[in-house]
Amino acid sequence: MSKSDSENKSNKKNKKEKAEEKKKKKKKLSDYCLFFLWRFILLILLIFSLIYLFKNDLTKYYSFVSDPSNVSLTEMNENIKYVKGLFGPNISETKGILENDIQSQPTDFIPSRELFSNSQPLEIQIIRIASWNLYPFDLNKLTDIKKSQRIAQLFLEFDIIAVQGIRSKNQTVLDGMIYLLKQNGGNYDYAYSSTISKSSEYLAYFYNQDRIQLDRETLVDLSDSEGRLTYPALIASFRPLASDVNRAFTFSLVNIWIDPKREAKDRNALLNIYQTVRNTTGRFGIAEDDVILLGCFNAPILEIGDLSRAAQLVAVHIDKATHWNGTSFDNICFNEKATVEYIERYGVVDLSHYFNISEDAAKEISDHRPIWADFSIFEGGQ
């Protein structure tokens, strides 16, 4: 056999081996593709099966998030449970736990249910007004059962709560909290700011409808003429539901939330806000001299010198820390000569003490503590 024939035979053998090797690689690749294709099909089938099984739950959830006003209270209970699956046990099961926690509250905090005993006529009772910066009060906090239940339980201690730090593109968080309050025996409603910041943050009031009347015609967002406030103040007029409305204490609340990044400019606008509200008449058909500023000033009240001096305002919280860093960022202020209905009883709620939880757990609810003050239900305090 010649050398050329031998080379040709060798080349043919090599080509054949390469062809067989290539064929094996193709088959191996085909097997891999088929393997993954089948698993992909099974995964798709599993996903569609889960969607089919839970389609009612998903429909309820998205209905709740997009427009909670169209969802019944029973449905909302279920919908909240499905949001991230964090709602946990039934509300009725947790209520007893919170009631037990209340027994460990500070001695200087008198529960409103003791002040509002049914054995006393409404005329000699007081109303308790509170303020609480819950930032960020969002869907995540609402759907955390421990946090939202504790917030709701504490809300029930007050007749009116001015809330700062709400973060939501709609009223989902507010509706969810109203639902929790109703489940815990409260008949509350809310009024919120129509001006929502670019970061979807705004202010609101929650109030006990069995004891308080809101004049919704007075509900307005107000900034100064120069538009200096990041979060416009939320103004609203209230009065207690007394048997004699002519003797009821009428007052205007100014819910304040000072932007910590613009605190100097924001605080400079407060005097104009106060004077505007003070000079406005027509609340419940009465000229109003009782204007109460409350909320998060993001500074001790002593640093707001122009406001306190010019408006002759006093602050009820000067010596008590309202923030976990030891400062008094939150306060309730009014003209002591005009608002004689104040009965000189106030407080700051220590969340860790009130709920018998750790400071870290309390900080997760809010880094601000709720503040409150008591007022007579009578105009003039009599």
Side-chain angles (χ1 to χ4, degrees):
M1 181 182 293
S2 64
K3 185 177 180 179
S4 60
D5 292 338
S6 178
E7 289 178 352
N8 289 335
K9 189 175 180 180
S10 177
N11 289 336
K12 287 180 180 180
K13 186 178 179 180
N14 291 337
K15 287 181 180 180
K16 187 177 180 180
E17 289 176 352
K18 287 181 179 180
E20 289 179 356
E21 186 178 351
K22 189 174 183 181
K23 188 176 180 181
K24 287 180 181 179
K25 287 182 178 180
K26 285 184 177 180
K27 188 176 183 307
K28 191 174 182 180
L29 181 61
S30 177
D31 290 341
Y32 273 123
C33 291
L34 191 62
F35 174 83
F36 286 110
L37 178 62
W38 275 112
R39 275 148 185 78
F40 179 74
I41 292 173
L42 289 173
L43 180 61
I44 294 297
L45 290 174
L46 178 61
I47 291 173
F48 275 101
S49 298
L50 291 173
I51 291 175
Y52 178 77
L53 289 173
F54 297 103
K55 64 179 180 179
N56 291 333
D57 300 332
L58 291 171
T59 301
K60 289 179 182 179
Y61 164 69
Y62 284 112
S63 175
F64 168 67
V65 172
S66 61
D67 188 5
S69 62
N70 292 330
V71 181
S72 68
L73 292 181
T74 302
E75 290 175 327
M76 190 177 288
N77 181 26
E78 298 301 320
N79 295 334
I80 294 176
K81 291 180 182 179
Y82 288 115
V83 180
K84 294 195 173 182
L86 295 176
F87 201 76
N90 188 276
I91 290 174
S92 60
E93 297 173 0
T94 60
K95 186 177 180 182
I97 299 172
L98 290 171
E99 288 176 345
N100 292 333
D101 288 340
I102 292 174
Q103 302 305 317
S104 62
Q105 64 196 1
T107 55
D108 64 342
F109 184 80
I110 304 172
S112 60
R113 58 177 171 273
E114 293 181 10
L115 293 169
F116 308 146
S117 171
N118 292 330
S119 63
Q120 295 178 321
L122 180 62
E123 285 77 10
I124 65 171
Q125 296 182 25
I126 57 92
I127 57 171
R128 177 165 288 176
I129 301 174
S131 175
W132 196 0
N133 186 341
L134 278 167
Y135 180 84
F137 191 20
D138 54 12
L139 195 59
N140 289 329
K141 189 171 287 187
L142 174 68
T143 54
D144 186 312
I145 180 60
K146 290 183 179 179
K147 295 177 185 176
S148 59
Q149 276 286 15
R150 283 168 175 158
I151 292 170
Q153 189 67 30
L154 197 46
F155 272 20
L156 291 171
E157 299 290 353
F158 308 116
D159 290 301
I160 306 173
I161 312 100
V163 179
Q164 304 87 44
I166 300 166
R167 179 186 286 174
S168 178
K169 292 182 179 180
N170 50 36
Q171 290 76 60
T172 302
V173 172
L174 305 182
D175 288 326
M177 183 51 58
I178 290 296
Y179 169 70
L180 291 177
L181 289 166
K182 287 184 177 179
Q183 287 294 302
N184 283 276
N187 181 25
Y188 282 69
D189 198 359
Y190 64 77
Y192 67 97
S193 173
S194 61
T195 303
I196 300 178
S197 70
K198 294 179 180 179
S199 54
S200 301
E201 296 165 351
Y202 56 95
L203 305 92
Y205 293 106
F206 289 85
Y207 63 98
N208 185 349
Q209 295 184 98
D210 291 335
R211 293 184 49 80
I212 298 294
Q213 179 184 2
L214 163 66
D215 183 355
R216 287 196 174 270
E217 292 185 1
T218 65
L219 185 66
V220 64
D221 298 318
L222 188 62
S223 187
D224 71 320
S225 57
E226 300 178 24
R228 286 173 288 188
L229 286 174
T230 303
Y231 308 104
L234 181 60
I235 318 298
S237 292
F238 300 88
R239 69 179 173 193
L241 289 172
S243 57
D244 186 353
V245 295
N246 294 322
R247 299 177 62 197
F249 171 42
T250 63
F251 54 95
S252 293
L253 295 183
V254 183
N255 192 351
I256 298 293
W257 184 18
I258 298 297
D259 186 348
K261 298 177 182 177
R262 294 164 40 93
E263 44 186 271
K265 290 183 178 180
D266 277 15
R267 284 198 295 271
N268 288 337
L270 293 183
L271 179 58
N272 289 339
I273 296 292
Y274 174 83
Q275 291 174 337
T276 299
V277 178
R278 180 69 174 76
N279 295 330
T280 302
T281 60
R283 294 164 179 79
F284 294 105
I286 304 170
E288 189 55 77
D289 62 345
D290 295 303
V291 179
I292 302 172
L293 277 69
L294 73 172
C296 179
F297 295 85
N298 264 310
I301 196 65
L302 296 177
E303 294 183 14
I304 313 177
D306 291 343
L307 175 65
S308 58
R309 285 192 299 270
Q312 296 181 324
L313 299 184
V314 295
V316 299
H317 300 285
I318 293 180
D319 57 345
K320 294 192 176 186
T322 66
H323 191 276
W324 289 104
N325 64 10
T327 57
S328 298
F329 281 170
D330 310 86
N331 227 308
I332 300 174
C333 310
F334 48 84
N335 185 305
E336 62 179 341
K337 293 182 179 179
T339 308
V340 296
E341 295 80 4
Y342 174 55
I343 65 171
E344 298 186 6
R345 186 162 57 197
Y346 67 96
V348 178
V349 182
D350 184 332
L351 298 178
S352 60
H353 194 177
Y354 183 91
F355 291 116
N356 193 23
I357 57 179
S358 68
E359 288 196 2
D360 288 338
K363 289 177 185 178
E364 289 181 2
I365 298 175
S366 175
D367 54 2
H368 291 254
R369 298 183 177 113
I371 60 174
W372 57 272
D374 290 340
F375 298 80
S376 167
I377 68 167
F378 281 128
E379 189 72 44
Q382 300 183 11

